[in-house]
Amino acid sequence: MRILLVLAHPLEESFAASVAETVRQKLIANGHTVDLLDLYREGFDPRLTVSERSRYFEPAYDPAEAEPFISRLKQADGLVLVFPQWWFNFPAILKGFFDRVFAPGVAFENDPDGGRIQPRLGNIHLFWAFTTTGSPWWVVNLYMGNPVKRLLKRGIAAFCAKGLDFKLTNLYDMDRVSADKRKAHIARVEKLVDRI
């Protein structure tokens, strides 16, 4: 399987970068092809341009401004995201990745009559995310209703592809976890990636 592995963290020495490297190595060891897209290191511009937005509902939307990243998404069989949750949401650079790369004619098709959008990412069969959050489990799930999982699963994955293998794995209370808990999380990530 060809996996597009997207890392969204500004610090090269971050725990997210360690998770992404663990995922990359495990996927390669298991015979998969990995395309690592480190959004910060590759200088991805998350800002949807004026021309992109003004053409968004045109019948033949031209996604040329984000083409290098769109090609990589179109070549993948699976998408694995690694990112921290900030303010119970995606880092801005990852939100911009969805805004610019999951474009009309690429990830979905607009209904000309204003109805529900039609999924277009038929090549993507696996959509996994490995995240961290500074909040404890109960705040994320009970108080906030796990907004990142809802956005990814219901608001992005379900609208862009059908029959996906979806999984979100989170390390909670990241700011207070011990080195042992971080190691245990990395071991958990390795076991999960073995299922791909």
Side-chain angles (χ1 to χ4, degrees):
M1 185 180 290
R2 183 175 174 83
I3 304 292
L4 179 60
L5 174 59
V6 179
L7 172 60
H9 198 292
L11 303 178
E12 291 186 55
E13 68 281 0
S14 68
F15 185 69
S18 297
V19 170
E21 182 57 19
T22 299
V23 171
R24 188 187 72 77
Q25 288 179 9
K26 196 68 170 167
L27 286 169
I28 290 169
N30 291 343
H32 301 289
T33 302
V34 180
D35 177 7
L36 174 61
L37 170 52
D38 183 331
L39 294 172
Y40 281 94
R41 253 60 61 213
E42 293 195 32
F44 177 76
D45 185 350
R47 296 170 299 172
L48 188 66
T49 67
V50 171
S51 63
E52 285 171 325
R53 184 61 184 131
S54 64
R55 298 186 322 264
Y56 212 76
F57 292 100
E58 289 181 4
Y61 177 81
D62 179 8
E65 291 175 61
E67 180 49 42
F69 302 100
I70 287 171
S71 309
R72 292 165 79 174
L73 178 63
K74 286 181 171 180
Q75 291 171 22
D77 304 306
L79 178 65
V80 176
L81 309 172
V82 180
F83 62 94
Q85 293 183 35
W86 292 333
W87 292 106
F88 306 101
N89 210 327
F90 310 117
I93 201 165
L94 184 58
K95 175 63 167 73
F97 175 77
F98 294 129
D99 289 347
R100 296 190 67 216
V101 177
F102 279 54
V106 175
F108 66 92
E109 203 65 64
N110 284 312
D111 181 339
D113 298 323
R116 185 175 174 173
I117 62 175
Q118 301 302 311
R120 288 278 312 259
L121 277 181
N123 58 302
I124 300 294
H125 305 289
L126 175 131
F127 193 124
W128 283 21
F130 294 98
T131 73
T132 58
T133 179
S135 297
W137 180 92
W138 72 269
V139 171
V140 173
N141 290 281
L142 301 178
Y143 182 71
M144 293 300 295
N146 206 338
V148 167
K149 183 176 183 178
R150 282 196 336 265
L151 284 168
L152 282 176
K153 187 174 185 177
R154 297 183 202 168
I156 297 173
F159 284 113
C160 297
K162 294 183 183 251
L164 284 175
D165 175 3
F166 178 87
K167 181 157 196 57
L168 183 136
T169 302
N170 198 3
L171 176 61
Y172 298 97
D173 220 4
M174 175 65 193
D175 302 333
R176 290 175 287 282
V177 297
S178 65
D180 286 342
K181 285 189 178 179
R182 288 182 187 207
K183 284 181 189 173
H185 184 73
I186 292 288
R188 179 181 175 209
V189 168
E190 287 179 321
K191 286 181 184 175
L192 288 169
V193 173
D194 271 337
R195 297 182 192 173
I196 296 176

